[in-house]
Amino acid sequence: MSTTANVTVDAGLSEKQAHILEFLRENADTQTYFKSRLIGEELGLSAKEVGTNMTAIAEGDFDVDVEKWGYSSATTWKVTT
């Protein structure tokens, strides 16, 4: 079973949410603010898909904290580990 599948089963996340969470885990050490549009470009999702799925991550209990931060040109998310 892949890491994404484990996250999906264990945390109750959808496949897209697990994929976004993994992206944040891999990149949060080098970057604190992420735009939905740019996450979407990296993962092959629309900015709207990212924003919709980030809510579940922000509300969940994970090893990263996600907070909606700004709305200029795309929603910006503040991510801390």
Side-chain angles (χ1 to χ4, degrees), residues 41-62:
E41 287 175 7
E42 288 291 320
L43 302 179
L45 303 170
S46 70
K48 185 174 182 175
E49 286 176 300
V50 172
T52 300
N53 288 290
M54 285 287 273
T55 303
I57 297 168
E59 293 174 354
D61 185 23
F62 301 103

Side-chain angles (χ1 to χ4, degrees), residues 5-81:
N6 287 336
V7 171
T8 303
V9 171
D10 295 340
L13 296 176
S14 71
E15 187 176 334
K16 286 180 185 178
Q17 292 163 350
H19 198 64
I20 293 167
L21 180 58
E22 188 62 29
F23 173 84
L24 296 175
R25 285 178 174 149
E26 291 174 1
N27 294 284
D29 288 339
T30 59
Q31 187 173 350
T32 304
Y33 296 92
F34 296 87
K35 289 193 176 286
S36 291
R37 170 176 51 85
L38 299 177
I39 294 171
E41 287 175 7
E42 288 291 320
L43 302 179
L45 303 170
S46 70
K48 185 174 182 175
E49 286 176 300
V50 172
T52 300
N53 288 290
M54 285 287 273
T55 303
I57 297 168
E59 293 174 354
D61 185 23
F62 301 103
D63 56 346
V64 296
D65 292 320
V66 177
E67 178 183 348
K68 191 180 277 191
W69 196 253
Y71 298 97
S72 62
S73 75
T75 300
T76 301
W77 302 89
K78 180 181 178 185
V79 179
T80 53
T81 56

